[in-house]
Amino acid sequence: MTEAPAGGVAGTPAPPSGSRTRPGTAGGRRKSVTGTRGTVAALFLLPALVLLGALVVYPIGYSLVRSFASDSGGGFAGFDNYKALFTDDGIRTALKNNIIWVVLAPTVATALGLVFAVLTERVRWGTAFKLVVFMPMAISMLAAGIIFRLVYDQDPDKGIANAVVVGVHDTFAESSAFPKAHPGRESPLVAQRGGFVTRDAVRAGTPVSLPLVGVAPDVMPSDAARAVRAEPESGRITGTTWQDFTRGKGVGKLGEVDATELGYPGMRIEAVKDGKVVDSTKAAADGTFSLSSKADGARLRLPASNFAEPYNGVDWLGPSLVTPAIIGSYVWMWAGFAMVLIAAGLAGIPRELLEAARVDGANEWQVFRRVTVPLLAPVLAVVAVTLMINVLKVFDLVFIIAPGSSQDDANVLALELYRKGFSEDRPGVASAIAVFLLLLVIPVMLFNMRRLRQEARR
């Protein structure tokens, strides 16, 4: 029987002196931790690689090739499609709006997320608040677009944004109840500077009639009462202003107060002499009014404020505000996402650092600005960059919220890609926009990946 060499197995030559084999290797070859052969691993990865190539690599490659072809696809267009990115008015507007989106939306969403994350740590119901703020993330972009299309509706009876604005406005500035009122036939009133004035001067002791028409019965003020002809008063100017209209042919008399006609409550009447207002009053519920002797010999004026169109709110989806309005809906959806990530980063901050700053005499604002925010800087950067990538691809909200009249003003690159490719049948330019968007996203995406790797190493 042969004796096995030291450190070896019988029949197996001992390894050369000075050489060492690593654990988990056989004959110096590295072995998989799971024991899986490379061929088997490749077979398992093959379906994923095929899908990746078919759904990612091929579309990117085809878009790149198509961006250099003519719209018909039959010829080589060179860089003409890319020149259109900077000469086409629609694309230039979309590019400008994308810059606004990239600067504004991630900044506001990240700032709100930071504020929410810090403040919710100090209240008992912080978890419930986080749930409510994060809930819009569960809503699809399509549903959010429909919701905010209704929120921004111009009609205060439908759009909650204008309902609030109109309510606040009317609290401090009274709206006119008679925007459509105007003199009828054979009226003693003539138009002047948006209002109406009597043709002749008035005299004390002689009642004045100021008939108007044009206010629909269903929009008359609720406190309007049956009109009454004013009685003469010595030394004073009295009169009536009312709706001089009675339904039915041949019913009622023009210029006379009839039984079913209503007064104009709250109508402002001014007495004007030599261009100056010497006295003024408001009509009662039955339309009657009374002025002092100062009004004797003056002309009576119904100022333009009586007939101003009622305040109808803000044109949120008009050309000037449509982009900020849509960004507001985006922030509503994504502030919760920023809050959750920042709250996770905030939970990892050592409390000893915050307490040490407070012991050293720092107030809460100083602790937040000089300790909390710097420690959260990596998380804030990841959140902001992630939102930038998301914003560059925004399409759904703009397409749904912006009405047809303002869609050109709210245009973004992703929407312009859709319009060029499907509405205008210019696939070459659409492909160039797609490649341009990819080039914009790649640097931001690489920066985000680098930050995540740095965080993982820590």
Side-chain angles (χ1 to χ4, degrees), residues 7-60:
V9 181
T12 303
S17 60
S19 67
R20 293 179 298 176
T21 58
R22 296 181 181 178
T25 63
R29 292 179 298 173
R30 181 180 291 274
K31 188 177 181 181
S32 172
V33 176
T34 60
T36 306
R37 293 179 179 274
T39 306
V40 177
L43 288 175
F44 274 101
L45 288 173
L46 185 61
L49 292 174
V50 170
L51 288 174
L52 187 66
L55 300 179
V56 178
V57 178
Y58 172 75
I60 291 175

Side-chain angles (χ1 to χ4, degrees), residues 113-179:
L114 175 62
V115 172
F116 291 156
V118 172
L119 293 181
T120 50
E121 277 203 334
R122 300 173 176 270
V123 293
R124 290 183 178 179
W125 40 270
T127 303
F129 180 81
K130 289 178 181 178
L131 178 64
V132 172
V133 175
F134 187 75
M135 196 176 296
M137 283 292 298
I139 302 174
S140 69
M141 286 281 196
L142 173 65
I146 294 172
I147 290 171
F148 275 87
R149 181 65 181 268
L150 295 174
V151 167
Y152 292 133
D153 195 288
Q154 182 67 40
D155 186 353
D157 293 332
K158 298 179 181 178
I160 187 172
N162 269 340
V164 172
V165 172
V166 170
V168 172
H169 175 274
D170 290 351
T171 300
F172 299 98
E174 187 177 355
S175 295
S176 169
F178 317 106

Side-chain angles (χ1 to χ4, degrees), residues 222-237:
S222 57
D223 59 338
R226 188 174 68 83
V228 176
R229 181 174 176 81
E231 297 294 332
E233 293 184 26
S234 177
R236 298 185 65 85
I237 303 295

Side-chain angles (χ1 to χ4, degrees), residues 229-253:
R229 181 174 176 81
E231 297 294 332
E233 293 184 26
S234 177
R236 298 185 65 85
I237 303 295
T238 59
T240 306
T241 177
W242 80 100
Q243 173 90 335
D244 189 21
F245 177 79
T246 303
R247 291 179 181 273
K249 187 176 180 180
V251 179
K253 189 175 181 182

Side-chain angles (χ1 to χ4, degrees), residues 181-189 199 211-214 244 254:
H182 60 274
R185 292 181 293 110
E186 302 177 14
S187 174
L189 296 167
R199 298 176 187 273
L212 295 169
V213 295
D244 189 21
L254 190 65

Side-chain angles (χ1 to χ4, degrees), residues 360-383:
D360 288 342
N363 57 37
E364 291 302 320
W365 169 247
Q366 291 172 327
V367 171
F368 173 75
R369 185 166 61 93
R370 297 183 179 275
V371 181
T372 304
V373 172
L375 291 175
L376 285 175
V379 178
L380 295 176
V382 170
V383 171

